[in-house]
Amino acid sequence: MAVFAVHYVYSDATAPVRDVHRPEHRAWLNALVDEGTVLTSGPYPDGSGALILVQGDSLEAVTKLFENDPFARENLLADKRIVEWLPTMGAFVS
């Protein structure tokens, strides 16, 4: 299974609505952590976005999965980029 980096970009304009949907967003992510799909997740300290590392079969499968994120469903992302990532050392090397 490949590892993918999901990069979220936030805008200041959506911050109040993200706060409303953050509990559902985090519950959704935690369910994916529990099943082993999400390896780790967290926001950037400056509030500009977040990074989520995911195991998946393909870029298409991960892209489809992340359409279900409450932040995506509510159009709260200024941008999203999903790329396959090849860890060569450390915690995420298989």
Side-chain angles (χ1 to χ4, degrees), residues 24-89:
E24 184 185 4
H25 162 74
R26 287 192 173 165
W28 180 79
L29 284 172
N30 275 314
L32 293 174
V33 168
D34 290 345
E35 72 181 36
T37 299
V38 167
L39 301 172
T40 192
S41 173
Y44 300 128
D46 66 1
S48 66
L51 172 65
I52 308 161
L53 295 181
V54 180
Q55 291 191 100
D57 292 326
S58 67
L59 176 61
E60 294 77 18
V62 173
T63 300
K64 185 167 179 58
L65 173 65
F66 272 77
E67 291 172 1
N68 297 313
D69 183 346
F71 278 6
R73 282 196 335 255
E74 297 296 326
N75 296 312
L76 301 176
L77 304 174
D79 196 14
K80 174 178 64 180
R81 180 173 181 237
I82 303 173
V83 293
E84 187 170 353
W85 180 58
L86 276 169
T88 57
M89 58 188 77

